[in-house]
Amino acid sequence: MNNISVALDGPSGAGKSTLAKKTAGHFNFIYVDTGALYRCIGLFALRNKVASTDRAGVIKLLPQIKLDMEYDDAGIQRMYLGGEDVTDAIRMPEISTYASDVSAMPEVREFLLKMQRDMAEKYDVIMDGRDIGTVVLPNAGLKIFITADADARANRRYLELTAKGIATTFEEVRAAMLQRDKNDSERETAPLKAADDAIMLDTTKLSFDESFNEICKLISGRFDI
Ligand code: DC
């Protein structure tokens, strides 16, 4: 692999996506948000009235799913499901649980694997997810595992949702987030886990800018850029 690949894994709310977005802009990488792919499968299941835990039902849907990932002029990843732009629809809180449930199915992970690897073949990427360093890009040039304590993560997610006008409470967000982390960490296939060679970055006590600077330092120190 000649391109630069940075794998950014960690639990939800650790700040992966905002950090990855800014880092991509700074180094001129493509930011690949792999959670969006699982969210699209979750949305498709929901729309087709298939329960997110109904493995046989979800597997049956897969051949009907046409997924496209594109980048707009601002470098923002847009997701298309059967040609429809679902970039905003997949951010609804109920889709988080759907995405987490379908992501535990090996068939779903296999279905999405090539799309993720293709991106790293074509571009310099910073890719965020749960299994990027362990499964998707085991040869990534740099692997970072971002964590933060549960309250800090829940608070960030809560502020994000309320800023979007979504009515919820801190407790609700925290409980849903912990449940999702448990699902994501305890599943058999590609669980949320730091790769052995990942660098751990705990952002609990770091501001956004401090976290961003840490990541920039790691990238500049690893690659000749
Ligand atoms: O990053 P996110 O919260 O948008 O991801 C939604 C769900 O998708 C998450 O609960 C776990 C799953 N996921 C995954 O299993 N593997 C990835 N590489 C990315 C996301």
Side-chain angles (χ1 to χ4, degrees), residues 9 12 16 33-36 38-39 91 96 99-100 103-104 109 116 128-132 136 157 180 184 187 190:
D9 289 303
S12 42
K16 297 186 303 291
D33 167 8
T34 63
Y38 293 92
R39 286 172 179 273
R91 294 294 146 198
S96 301
S100 179
S103 76
R109 306 201 71 82
Q116 299 170 74
D128 101 32
R130 305 295 189 285
D131 64 333
I132 308 305
V136 179
R157 188 45 59 89
R180 197 145 70 89
D184 297 343
R187 68 179 179 225

Coordinates of all heavy atoms in Angstrom, one line a residue, residues 9 12 16 33-36 38-39 91 96 99-100 103-104 109 116 128-132 136 157 180 184 187 190, ligand 1:
D9 N -9.7 4.4 15.6 CA -10.8 3.6 16.2 C -11.1 4.1 17.6 O -10.2 4.8 18.2 CB -10.3 2.1 16.2 CG -10.3 1.5 14.8 OD1 -11.3 1.5 14.2 OD2 -9.2 1.0 14.4
S12 N -18.0 5.3 20.7 CA -18.7 6.4 20.2 C -18.6 7.6 21.2 O -18.4 7.4 22.4 CB -20.2 6.1 20.1 OG -20.6 5.3 21.2
K16 N -13.9 11.0 17.5 CA -13.2 10.5 16.3 C -13.6 11.3 15.0 O -12.8 11.7 14.3 CB -13.6 9.0 16.0 CG -13.1 8.1 17.1 CD -13.4 6.6 16.6 CE -14.8 6.3 16.3 NZ -15.7 6.3 17.4
D33 N -15.7 8.0 6.9 CA -16.5 7.7 8.1 C -17.2 6.4 7.9 O -18.2 6.3 7.2 CB -17.5 8.8 8.3 CG -18.6 8.5 9.3 OD1 -18.5 7.5 10.0 OD2 -19.5 9.3 9.4
T34 N -16.6 5.3 8.5 CA -17.2 4.0 8.1 C -18.4 3.7 8.9 O -19.2 2.8 8.5 CB -16.1 2.8 8.4 OG1 -15.8 2.8 9.9 CG2 -14.9 3.0 7.7
G35 N -18.7 4.4 10.0 CA -19.9 4.2 10.8 C -21.1 4.5 9.9 O -22.2 3.9 10.0
A36 N -20.9 5.5 9.0 CA -22.0 5.9 8.1 C -22.5 4.7 7.2 O -23.7 4.6 6.9 CB -21.5 7.0 7.2
Y38 N -22.5 1.5 8.1 CA -23.4 0.6 8.9 C -24.7 1.3 9.2 O -25.8 0.7 9.3 CB -22.7 0.3 10.2 CG -21.5 -0.6 10.0 CD1 -20.2 -0.1 9.8 CD2 -21.6 -2.0 9.8 CE1 -19.1 -0.9 9.5 CE2 -20.5 -2.8 9.6 CZ -19.3 -2.2 9.4 OH -18.2 -3.0 9.1
R39 N -24.7 2.6 9.3 CA -25.9 3.4 9.5 C -26.8 3.2 8.3 O -28.1 3.2 8.5 CB -25.6 4.9 9.8 CG -25.0 5.1 11.2 CD -24.5 6.5 11.4 NE -24.0 6.6 12.8 CZ -24.7 6.9 13.8 NH1 -26.0 7.2 13.7 NH2 -24.2 7.0 15.0
R91 N -28.3 10.0 10.7 CA -27.8 10.6 12.0 C -28.9 10.6 13.1 O -28.6 11.0 14.2 CB -27.3 12.1 11.8 CG -26.1 12.2 10.9 CD -24.9 11.6 11.5 NE -24.1 11.0 10.5 CZ -23.1 10.1 10.7 NH1 -22.9 9.6 11.9 NH2 -22.4 9.6 9.7
S96 N -28.7 4.8 15.4 CA -27.4 4.4 16.1 C -27.6 2.9 16.5 O -26.7 2.1 16.4 CB -27.1 5.3 17.3 OG -27.0 6.6 16.8
A99 N -27.7 0.6 13.6 CA -26.4 0.4 13.0 C -25.5 -0.6 13.9 O -24.9 -1.5 13.4 CB -25.7 1.7 12.9
S100 N -25.6 -0.4 15.2 CA -24.8 -1.2 16.1 C -25.3 -2.7 16.0 O -24.4 -3.6 15.9 CB -25.0 -0.7 17.5 OG -24.2 -1.4 18.4
S103 N -24.3 -4.2 12.7 CA -22.8 -4.3 12.5 C -22.2 -5.5 13.2 O -21.1 -5.9 13.0 CB -22.1 -3.0 13.1 OG -22.1 -3.0 14.5
A104 N -23.0 -6.2 14.0 CA -22.6 -7.4 14.7 C -22.7 -8.6 13.8 O -22.2 -9.7 14.1 CB -23.4 -7.7 16.0
R109 N -20.7 -7.1 7.7 CA -19.3 -6.6 7.8 C -18.6 -6.9 6.5 O -17.9 -6.1 5.9 CB -18.5 -7.1 9.0 CG -19.2 -6.8 10.3 CD -18.3 -6.9 11.5 NE -17.4 -5.8 11.5 CZ -17.7 -4.5 12.0 NH1 -18.8 -4.3 12.5 NH2 -16.8 -3.6 11.9
Q116 N -14.6 -0.1 1.9 CA -13.7 0.6 2.8 C -12.2 0.4 2.3 O -11.4 1.4 2.3 CB -13.8 0.0 4.2 CG -15.2 0.2 4.8 CD -15.4 -0.5 6.1 OE1 -14.9 -0.1 7.2 NE2 -16.1 -1.6 6.1
D128 N -12.2 6.4 10.1 CA -12.7 6.2 11.5 C -13.7 5.1 11.6 O -14.5 4.9 10.7 CB -13.1 7.5 12.2 CG -14.6 7.8 12.3 OD1 -15.3 6.8 12.4 OD2 -14.9 9.0 12.3
G129 N -13.6 4.3 12.7 CA -14.5 3.2 12.9 C -14.3 2.5 14.2 O -13.9 3.1 15.2
R130 N -14.4 1.2 14.2 CA -14.2 0.3 15.4 C -13.2 -0.7 15.1 O -12.5 -1.2 16.1 CB -15.5 -0.4 15.8 CG -16.7 0.5 16.0 CD -16.5 1.5 17.2 NE -17.8 2.2 17.5 CZ -18.3 3.2 16.8 NH1 -17.6 3.7 15.8 NH2 -19.4 3.8 17.3
D131 N -13.0 -1.1 13.9 CA -12.1 -2.3 13.5 C -11.2 -1.9 12.4 O -10.8 -2.8 11.7 CB -13.0 -3.5 13.1 CG -13.8 -3.2 11.8 OD1 -14.1 -2.0 11.6 OD2 -14.1 -4.1 11.0
I132 N -10.9 -0.6 12.2 CA -10.1 -0.2 11.1 C -8.7 -0.8 11.3 O -8.1 -1.4 10.4 CB -10.1 1.3 10.9 CG1 -11.5 1.8 10.8 CG2 -9.3 1.7 9.6 CD1 -12.4 1.2 9.8
V136 N -10.0 -3.9 8.9 CA -10.1 -3.3 7.6 C -8.7 -3.0 7.0 O -8.4 -3.3 5.9 CB -11.0 -2.0 7.7 CG1 -11.1 -1.4 6.3 CG2 -12.4 -2.4 8.2
R157 N -21.8 13.9 23.0 CA -22.9 13.4 22.1 C -24.2 14.2 22.4 O -24.9 14.6 21.5 CB -23.0 11.9 22.3 CG -23.9 11.1 21.4 CD -23.8 11.4 19.9 NE -22.5 11.2 19.3 CZ -22.1 10.1 18.7 NH1 -22.8 9.1 18.7 NH2 -20.9 10.1 18.1
R180 N -24.6 0.7 23.5 CA -24.0 0.5 22.1 C -22.5 0.1 22.2 O -22.1 -0.8 21.5 CB -24.1 1.8 21.4 CG -23.9 1.7 19.9 CD -24.8 2.7 19.2 NE -24.4 4.1 19.3 CZ -23.5 4.7 18.5 NH1 -23.0 4.0 17.5 NH2 -23.2 6.0 18.7
D184 N -20.9 -3.2 20.8 CA -19.8 -3.1 19.8 C -18.5 -3.9 20.3 O -17.8 -4.4 19.5 CB -19.4 -1.7 19.5 CG -20.6 -1.0 18.8 OD1 -21.5 -1.6 18.3 OD2 -20.6 0.3 18.8
R187 N -19.3 -8.1 20.7 CA -19.7 -9.0 19.5 C -18.5 -9.9 19.1 O -17.3 -9.5 19.4 CB -20.2 -8.1 18.4 CG -19.0 -7.3 17.8 CD -19.5 -6.5 16.6 NE -18.4 -5.7 16.1 CZ -18.5 -4.4 15.7 NH1 -19.6 -3.7 15.9 NH2 -17.5 -3.8 15.3
A190 N -15.1 -8.9 14.6 CA -14.5 -7.5 14.6 C -15.0 -6.6 15.7 O -15.5 -5.5 15.4 CB -14.7 -6.9 13.2
Ligands
DC1 O1 -19.3 5.6 14.3 P1 -20.8 5.5 14.4 O2 -21.3 5.8 15.8 O3 -21.5 6.3 13.3 O4 -21.1 3.9 14.1 C1 -22.4 3.4 14.1 C2 -22.3 1.9 14.5 O5 -21.7 1.2 13.5 C3 -21.5 1.6 15.8 O6 -22.3 1.4 16.9 C4 -20.7 0.4 15.5 C5 -20.8 0.2 14.0 N1 -19.5 0.3 13.4 C6 -18.7 -0.8 13.3 O7 -19.1 -1.8 13.8 N2 -17.5 -0.8 12.6 C7 -17.0 0.4 12.1 N3 -15.9 0.4 11.5 C8 -17.8 1.6 12.2 C9 -19.0 1.5 12.9

